Amino acid sequence: MANTRRWLAGTALAAVTVMSLPVQARAGEANLVLPDLASRAYLGGQVTGWSLLAGGLFVCALGLAFGLIFYRQLERLPVHRSMREVSELIYATCKTYLLHQGKFILILWAFIAAVIVAYFGFLSGHEAHPPGAGLRNYPPSVKVPVILAFSLIGIAGSYLVAWFGIRINTFANSRTSMASLRGVPFLCYSIPLKAGMSIGMVLISVELLMMLCILLFVPRELAGPCFIGFAIGESLGAAALRVAGGIFTKIADIGADLMKIVFGIKEDDARNPGVIADCTGDNAGDSIGPTADGFETYGVTGVALITFILLAVPRAEVQVDLLVWIFAIRILMVAVSGVAYFVNEAIARRRFVHLRHFDFEIPLTGLVWVTSLLSIAATYAASFVLIPNVADDPNLWWQLATVISCGTLAGAVIPEVTKVFTSTSSAHVKEVITASREGGASLNVLSGLTAGNFSGFWVGGVVIAGLMTMAYAVSLFFPPGLMLAPAVFAFGLVAFGFLGMGPVTIAVDSYGPVTDNAQSVYELSLIEQEPGIEEEIRRDFGFDPEFGRAKLLLEENDGAGNTFKATAKPVLIGTAVVGATTMIFSIVVELVGGRDAAGDLVLLPELIENLSILHPPFLLGLIFGMAVIYWFTGASTQAVITGAYRAVSFIRRNMKLDSSAKASVEDSKRVVAICTRYAQLGMFNIFLTVFFVTLAAAFVEPYFFIGFLIGLALSGLFQAISMANAGGAWDNAKKIVETDLREKGTPLHAATVVGDTVGDPFKDTSSVAMNPIIKFATLFGLLAVELAQGVSFGARVGLAAAFAVVALVFIHRSFYGMRIEDSQTGGAHDAESEELYGPALVDS
C-alpha cells in the first residue's frame, strides 16, 4: 500500500511539475520555435545562415541530377528481349504490390492522424500564452491541417523513393544478366553499383531537400511541429514497408528455396511458380524496405538533433550556429559521396576492368573506406571554416567534428566487423559449412546462431559502444553552460555521422537485390534455349556469349551482394538506437525540465531520481520494452511461417516438372497473392500492436514510458544485430556450397538450404524491421506522453487500461490469428484462392 501511495505521489508530482513548466520548457513539440537563421553570418561575415543553407538546394538538385543521369544510362544499356521480358514482369508484380501497400499505409495513417488532431488540435491550443510563445498562436484550423499535410509528405517521401528503387533495380537486373554473357566480371560489378548510387543520391537529395524547405520556408513557429509531423509520417511509411516487405520476401524465398529439396530442381528453375514471387520479394524486402528505411532514418536522425538543440541549448545564436553547421555538413556529404564514387570507380577500373576474375567485395569495400575518409576530412575542414568560434570557444569546432567523425568511422568499421561473420571468406561462415557436412541441418543452425551471438558482442558491445564512449569523452570538454546533457548531444551526432556517407551506405545495400535478381533473370529467361541465340547475340550485340561463365559470375556476385546487404543492416540498426537516445532526451526534458533562479533551463534533481532502477515504474518499463522486442520477433516470424506454409503447399501442388518449360503466369501471380496477403495481415497486427502498446505505456506513467523506450532500443539493438548476422552467415554458407564447392543436390547442400530458410526471417524480416519500429515508437511517443499529461489522472489510468486491452487483442491476433490450421491446404483451387486472397488481388 505504501508503495502504491509513493507511485501515485510520484506520478502526481511529475504531472504537476510538467504542467507547471514554462511553455518552451515543457511543450516541446507544440512550441518548438526555430531561431532566425538570417541572424548569423558565416564565411567571414559574407553569407547569412539562411543564404548558406539556401545554397544547399542547388546541391540537392545536383544530387538528383546525378541519380537521374545514372538512371538513364542504365536504362539504355543493351539487354536481350528474353531478359527484358522477365525483368518487366518482376517490375509489374512489384508495382502491384506497392500499390496495395500504399492504400494500406493510408489506413494506418488514420490512426496517427487521430492522435495528431487530438494533441495539436485540442490539447495544445486551449491555454493563453504571450506573443512569441510558439505554435499556440496559430488556431487549430491552421496548425492541424499543416501538420497532417507534412505527415503525408513524409509518407509520400518514403513511398516514392521506394518506388524509384524498384524501378531502377528491375531493369538493372536484366542489364547485369546481359553483361555477364561477356564473361567480364567488372561489368557485373559496375552496373549494380551504379544502380545503387543512383538510388542513394536520389534518396538523400530528396530527403535533404524536404528538410531544407521546412527549415527555410515554413514560418519559424510552425517549423518544429512540421518536422515532427514529417518525421512521424516517414517513420510510419518506413515501418510499414519494412515489416510488410520483410514478411513478403521471406515467404516467397522460403517457398522457392524448399522446392530445391522437395523436387531436386536447380536454383530459380523456370518451372517453379514461386520464383517470380521470390524476385518480387527481393525487391519488396531488399529494395522497397531498405530505401524507405534509409529515407526515414536520415530524416528522423536530423529531427532528433533539431529537437535537442531547440530544447537543450539556451542561447539563440548557438542554436543557429549548430543548426547551420549540421545542415551544411549534410549538404557537403552529398557532394563528397559523389566524388568518392568517381574516385573509387577510377581506381577499380584501373585494377579490375581487364581481369577475368576478381573478388567483387574488394572494390565495394574500397568505396566505403574512400567515402569515410573523404567525409572525415571534409567534416574537419568545413567545421573550421564555418564555426571557428562557437559560444566564444575556439576549440568547439574540432570537438564537434571529432564526435561526428566517430559516427562516420563507424559507417566503415561496422561493415568490416560484420564481414568477419557474414562474408563468403569468413571463418564463421566456413565453420557453418564444416559443421553441416557431418552434423547436417542441426549443427548448421547452431553454428549460424553462434556467429550471430558473437557478432552482437563485437558490433554492438565493442564497436558501437566504443565509438559512443569516444564521443562521450570528447563531450566532457564542451564549454560549461553550452547545453543540457552534452553527452546526449554527442550520441546524436554519432548517429548523424553514421549516415554522413548515406548515399554510399544505401548504394552498397541496394547492390544486393540487383545481383540476386540478375541471377534469377538469367535462369527465367531460358536464354540458352533460344534458337540461334549465339548468332543473334553476335549479330545484334557484337560479342560471343559465354553462358557457363556468365552463370558462375552471377552466382559469385550474388554472394558479394549478400555480404554487403548484411553490412548495411547494423549501420541502420545502430543509427536507430543511438539516435533514439537523443529523441528520448526530448521526453526527459518534458518531464524533468525547469527553470532556475536565473531563468535558465535545468533538469530538476528531485525528478531526475525517477530515471533510475530505484524508481519501480522505470525498471518495469525497461523490462516491458525488452519484452515487446521478443513479441515483435515472434509475430513477424509467425507471419512468415504461416505464409510460407501456404506458399509451399500451393507451389508443390502446382509444380509441373514435365508439362512445360515455364510455370504459368497465373500460378506465379497466385504465389504473389499469397505473399501479399500474409504480408498485409502481419503488418496490420504488428503496427496496431506497436501503436496501442506505445499509447498504453505513455499513459501508464511517464517514467515507465521512458524505461519502455530505453528497453525497446537496447534489447532491439542486440537482437537485431545477432539475428541479421546469423542470417547472413547461413545465406553465404549456402552460396559457397553452390558456387565454390559445386555441391548442389547433396546432403550438405540440403543442410545449408535449411539453415538459409531459418536465417531468411532472421536477417530480412525481424531484425531489419526493428529499426523503424524503434524510431516510430520513440517519435510517436513524443506526442503520446504529452497527450497523456494533458488529461486527468483518472482518465489517464482508464485510457492506459483500454489501450493495453486493445494491444493485447492484436498481440493475440499476431499469433492465434496467424497460426497454421490443419485444414489449410495451400490454396490448390482457384475458388479457394479467390476466397482467401480476393479476386482483385489475384487478377492483378
Side-chain angles (χ1 to χ4, degrees), residues 83 86-87 90 173-174 177 517-525:
M83 293 178 170
V86 175
S87 64
I90 295 170
N173 55 18
S174 56
S177 290
N517 264 197
Q519 188 177 2
S520 302
V521 167
Y522 183 96
E523 297 291 351
L524 291 171
S525 69

Side-chain angles (χ1 to χ4, degrees), residues 33-58:
V33 180
L34 288 175
D36 184 2
L37 299 179
S39 64
R40 300 281 290 171
Y42 303 90
L43 304 178
Q46 301 300 311
V47 182
T48 67
W50 192 96
S51 299
L52 183 66
L53 296 188
L57 299 175
F58 176 71

Side-chain angles (χ1 to χ4, degrees), residues 96-111:
T96 301
Y97 163 79
L98 199 50
L99 286 171
H100 282 285
Q101 294 306 97
K103 297 172 186 176
F104 213 63
I105 290 171
L106 290 179
I107 295 173
L108 301 180
W109 172 80
F111 291 89

Side-chain angles (χ1 to χ4, degrees), residues 252-397:
D253 201 355
I254 292 172
D257 274 358
L258 288 181
M259 295 306 104
K260 293 187 290 188
I261 298 176
V262 173
F263 292 105
I265 59 177
K266 64 182 180 180
E267 181 94 12
D268 300 319
D269 195 298
R271 298 167 295 179
N272 184 350
V275 174
I276 288 295
D278 188 17
C279 293
T280 304
D282 288 337
N283 288 283
D286 294 333
S287 178
I288 292 173
T291 49
D293 188 6
F295 184 85
E296 174 251 5
T297 299
Y298 195 79
V300 169
T301 305
V303 170
L305 286 171
I306 291 169
T307 304
F308 179 93
I309 290 169
L310 297 184
L311 287 174
V313 177
R315 294 167 56 181
E317 67 274 15
V318 178
Q319 290 180 355
V320 174
D321 286 345
L322 292 177
L323 288 172
V324 170
W325 171 70
I326 284 173
F327 276 90
I329 295 294
R330 282 198 157 186
I331 293 165
L332 182 62
M333 290 304 102
V334 173
V336 168
S337 295
V339 170
Y341 168 77
F342 287 115
V343 170
N344 185 75
E345 195 68 1
I347 295 171
R349 183 173 294 276
R350 186 169 60 251
R351 291 183 62 188
F352 303 121
V353 72
H354 299 300
L355 296 183
R356 292 279 292 175
H357 182 269
F358 66 87
D359 186 344
F360 290 108
E361 292 184 14
I362 293 175
L364 294 172
T365 301
L367 175 62
V368 171
W369 276 103
V370 168
T371 308
S372 180
L373 295 176
L374 287 179
S375 297
I376 291 172
T379 297
Y380 277 97
S383 301
F384 176 74
V385 171
L386 285 176
I387 52 169
N389 198 25
V390 178
D392 301 318
D393 187 325
N395 296 312
L396 193 57
W397 71 267

Side-chain angles (χ1 to χ4, degrees), residues 136 143 160 350 394 472 619 648 837:
R136 296 173 192 250
K143 62 187 179 183
L160 291 175
R350 186 169 60 251
Y472 164 67
L619 177 60
V648 168
Y837 318 122

Side-chain angles (χ1 to χ4, degrees), residues 439-489:
S442 297
L443 292 189
N444 176 284
V445 171
L446 290 174
S447 296
L449 288 173
T450 300
N453 289 333
F454 274 130
S455 75
F457 169 78
W458 286 104
V459 176
V462 175
V463 177
I464 294 178
L467 290 167
M468 290 176 69
T469 301
M470 291 173 58
Y472 164 67
V474 174
S475 73
L476 295 175
F477 296 95
F478 287 2
L482 179 71
M483 63 183 67
L484 291 176
V488 175
F489 184 61

